[in-house]
């Protein structure tokens, strides 16, 4: 490694010396031209002519070196790098001319260069040196283009991201040659940006693809929302052309991608919306140096919670889950990125009172983010006792321990399926909400509940299922053409959970402004199109009918709940809910525990009817399905 480093340093030194000598000759040439234009035919045998030119050129070369000209990587040069050259020449000109005049006063004739000659020499030097760099870069790029792959690229978006990408591809043409830009801004049409023409607007993408034999289209608009992307994508035939995109601003800010990184267009790009931004300062204030417990830390939501909590500086991060592999993986990821944060791996069940008591007694968590839950709707229809045991009693156990061990705050993750529940999973989460809110009534611990819809890409969600079905050639199964769902990304969901922790007080329930619900049939069609197939021709969509416990339309609030604003424009708090009394909750818990122990579905159905009159969920008689 040391030898390679020395060789590279030596090569760089030789290159700089060569550049310096080249610049010296170009400056001297400019001086000669200045003398010619000033005096016409002059006597080349006059010694002062050569001596003055050498000293004048040395002053400018030294100034160029002191200004950092020979530290510039010209393969990655930008416009401001040429200003360094101009600044160096101007400084050298002023210094050389000033010293020359001072020497004349001392009767030393080393720099007796007339002002007109020195001025013309400085201007000529700037032109020749910059021209030499441009010609060299043109020569390199021409050589690369000859060697590059034949793939021709069309960039959608001629803004900062698009032009930066074009420059990067110009330096590495083996990844593609940019033929032109597409941009919907009228003032950019038919203009040249970084030497590349804006060929038209997004409506002409396929026309340009065919006319210029384009091999790849890159959408370079990181700030674009889903509506803009959907509009652009509607003009692209993915059967004929490969499409890639730059990551969104959120991905760049979160450190999950860099600006030059390209990825395939994903369904999240088209179904997403304005990202939820959180008050990082307020989050850090209540997380820094605290012992933070995340239950369900190996799941899609729990693991993302860990990723977003770690950079906020917790004193210790406790990762609790039942799956040893998933807990191990997230621990390795966090420890690698944040080696200074103590991370503890805990295997256990949130409903195991002895195990959870030991964890709270030993580690004394200040903040608890409760993400552990059974969330698969059809699966919980077949295993109702497990849904109530883990989702309801498990949440009660965690909340009770948070109160008993005087934790500062606890945030429980709930679901829109808890509203007028039609599924056992939804009913179990609704009871969990009731238990947490009841405990919060008489606790110094700040409790909060976050209720949101479907999370894109989470385990058990519809998108991974659709992807598998498309990869296997279809059909893609949709329960009902009318079915709609609210969607959000995993980072958005976790940002809401973290922000709720800062707002949480007495068992408040928070919901996110999730925009408009999305038709599942539309989702299926767009995923098939993204994969490069034609819906209902190459990949069929089949409607199978709603599964047990599923609703056609999800709701975020119940009839007796009203929304009020919080400090965050996208987060709302629910008002108007009644809270279970202490005695009433004790009776309900005893009844629920006994029913679960005995697998008494009639009693469980009675609990659903008695405490959730709005619920339509019912356990089928005959027991758990096999």
């Amino acid at each position: 490694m040391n030898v390679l480093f020395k060789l590279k340093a030596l090569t760089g030194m030789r290159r700089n010396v060569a550049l310096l000598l080249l610049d010296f000759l170009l400056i001297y040439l400019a001086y000669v031209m200045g003398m010619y234009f000033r005096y016409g035919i002059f006597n080349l045998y006059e010694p002062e002519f050569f001596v003055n030119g050498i000293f004048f050129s040395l002053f400018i070369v030294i100034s160029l070196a002191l200004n950092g000209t020979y530290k510039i990587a010209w393969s990655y040069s930008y416009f401001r790098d040429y200003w360094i050259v101009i600044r160096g020449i101007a400084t050298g000109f002023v210094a050389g001319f000033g010293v020359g005049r001072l020497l004349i006063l001392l009767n030393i004739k080393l720099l007796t260069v007339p002002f007109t000659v020195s001025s013309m020499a400085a201007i000529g030097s700037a032109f020749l040196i910059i021209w030499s760099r441009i010609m060299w870069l043109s020569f390199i790029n021409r050589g690369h283009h000859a060697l590059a792959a034949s793939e021709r690229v069309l960039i959608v978006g001629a803004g900062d991201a698009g032009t930066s990408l074009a420059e990067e591809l110009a330096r590495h043409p083996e990844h593609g040659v940019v033929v032109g830009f597409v941009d919907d801004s009228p003032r950019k049409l038919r203009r040249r940006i970084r030497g590349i023409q804006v060929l038209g607007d997004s409506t002409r993408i396929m026309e340009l693809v065919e006319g210029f034999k384009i091999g790849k289209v890159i959408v370079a608009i990181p700030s674009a929302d889903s509506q803009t992307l959907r509009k652009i994508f509607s003009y692209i035939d993915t059967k004929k052309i490969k499409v890639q995109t730059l990551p969104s601003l959120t991905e760049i800010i979160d450190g999950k991608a860099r600006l030059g990184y390209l990825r395939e267009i994903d369904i999240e790009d088209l179904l997403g919306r304005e990202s939820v931004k959180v008050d990082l300062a307020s989050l850090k204030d209540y997380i820094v140096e605290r012992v933070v417990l995340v239950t369900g830390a190996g799941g899609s939501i729990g693991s993302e919670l860990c990723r977003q909590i770690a950079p906020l500086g917790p004193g210790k991060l406790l990762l609790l889950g039942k799956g040893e592999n998933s807990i191990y993986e997230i621990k390795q990821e966090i420890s690698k990125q944040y080696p200074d944060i103590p991370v503890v791996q805990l295997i256990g069940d949130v409903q195991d009172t002895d195990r959870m008591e030991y964890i709270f007694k030993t580690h004394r968590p200040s903040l608890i983010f409760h993400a552990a839950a059974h969330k698969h709707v059809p699966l919980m229809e077949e295993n109702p006792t497990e849904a109530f045991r883990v989702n309801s009693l498990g949440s009660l156990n965690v909340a009770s321990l948070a109160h008993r061990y005087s934790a500062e705050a606890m945030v429980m993750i709930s679901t829109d399926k808890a509203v007028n529940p039609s599924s056992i999973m939804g009913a179990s989460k609704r009871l969990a909400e009731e238990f947490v809110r009841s405990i919060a009534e008489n606790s110094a611990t700040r409790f909060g509940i976050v209720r949101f819809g479907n999370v894109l890409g989470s385990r058990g969600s519809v998108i991974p299922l659709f992807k598998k079905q498309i990869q296997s050639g279809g059909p893609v199964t949709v329960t009902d053409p009318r079915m709609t769902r609210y969607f959000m990304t995993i980072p958005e969901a976790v940002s809401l959970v973290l922000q709720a922790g800062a707002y949480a007080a007495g068992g408040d329930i928070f919901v996110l402004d999730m925009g408009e619900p999305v038709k599942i049939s539309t989702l299926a069609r767009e995923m098939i199109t993204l994969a490069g197939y034609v819906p209902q021709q190459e990949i069929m969509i089949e409607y199978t009918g709603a599964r047990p416990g599923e609703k056609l339309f999800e709701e975020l609030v119940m009839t007796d709940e009203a929304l009020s604003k919080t400090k965050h424009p996208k987060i709302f708090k629910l008002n108007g809910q009644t809270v279970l009394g202490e005695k009433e909750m004790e009776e309900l818990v005893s009844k629920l525990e006994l029913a679960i122990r005995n697998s008494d579905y009639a009693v469980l159905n009675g609990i659903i009817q008695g405490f959730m009159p709005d619920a339509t969920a019912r356990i089928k008689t005959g027991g758990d399905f096999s």
Side-chain angles (χ1 to χ4, degrees), residues 412-457:
M412 187 195 92
I413 296 174
S414 189
T415 170
D416 56 1
K417 293 172 178 61
V419 178
N420 303 324
S422 62
S423 64
I424 298 305
M425 192 279 276
S428 67
K429 293 295 282 186
R430 172 73 168 278
L431 277 183
E433 288 185 2
E434 298 293 336
F435 292 156
V436 171
R437 290 174 57 241
S438 180
I439 290 172
E441 278 288 287
N442 302 298
S443 178
T445 300
R446 295 183 295 107
F447 287 91
I449 298 164
V450 182
R451 188 188 286 171
F452 51 76
N454 296 270
V455 178
L456 290 169

Side-chain angles (χ1 to χ4, degrees), residues 230-347:
R230 195 179 292 116
K231 179 183 175 183
I232 293 170
F233 203 75
S234 68
Y235 300 127
I236 303 174
D237 185 351
T238 55
K239 287 291 290 178
K240 296 181 179 179
I241 188 68
K242 181 182 179 182
V243 185
Q244 290 182 313
T245 185
L246 289 177
S248 67
L249 288 176
T250 303
E251 292 174 281
I252 296 169
I253 292 169
D254 289 345
K256 295 179 180 176
R258 56 184 176 83
L259 188 57
Y261 167 76
L262 292 176
R263 60 171 173 77
E264 304 302 316
I265 288 277
D266 208 344
I267 192 65
E268 284 89 343
D269 297 314
L270 304 181
L271 295 180
R273 50 187 164 70
E274 182 183 355
S275 297
V276 175
K277 297 177 179 64
V278 300
D279 182 1
L280 292 177
S282 67
L283 297 186
K284 193 160 188 176
D285 286 343
Y286 87 94
I287 288 177
V288 67
E289 297 300 328
R290 305 297 201 282
V291 178
V292 182
L293 169 64
V294 179
T295 71
S300 49
I301 297 295
S303 60
E304 181 65 20
L305 270 167
C306 298
R307 294 184 191 100
Q308 293 196 26
I309 289 169
L312 298 176
K316 186 191 292 183
L317 187 55
L318 310 177
L319 313 179
L320 173 67
K322 290 202 298 184
E324 57 184 282
N325 289 335
S326 59
I327 293 296
Y328 173 80
E329 287 171 3
I330 187 60
K331 194 270 182 185
Q332 294 301 309
E333 181 181 337
I334 298 298
S335 295
K336 183 178 179 181
Q337 293 186 18
Y338 305 96
D340 296 332
I341 296 175
V343 180
V344 181
Q345 303 170 93
L346 300 167
I347 303 300

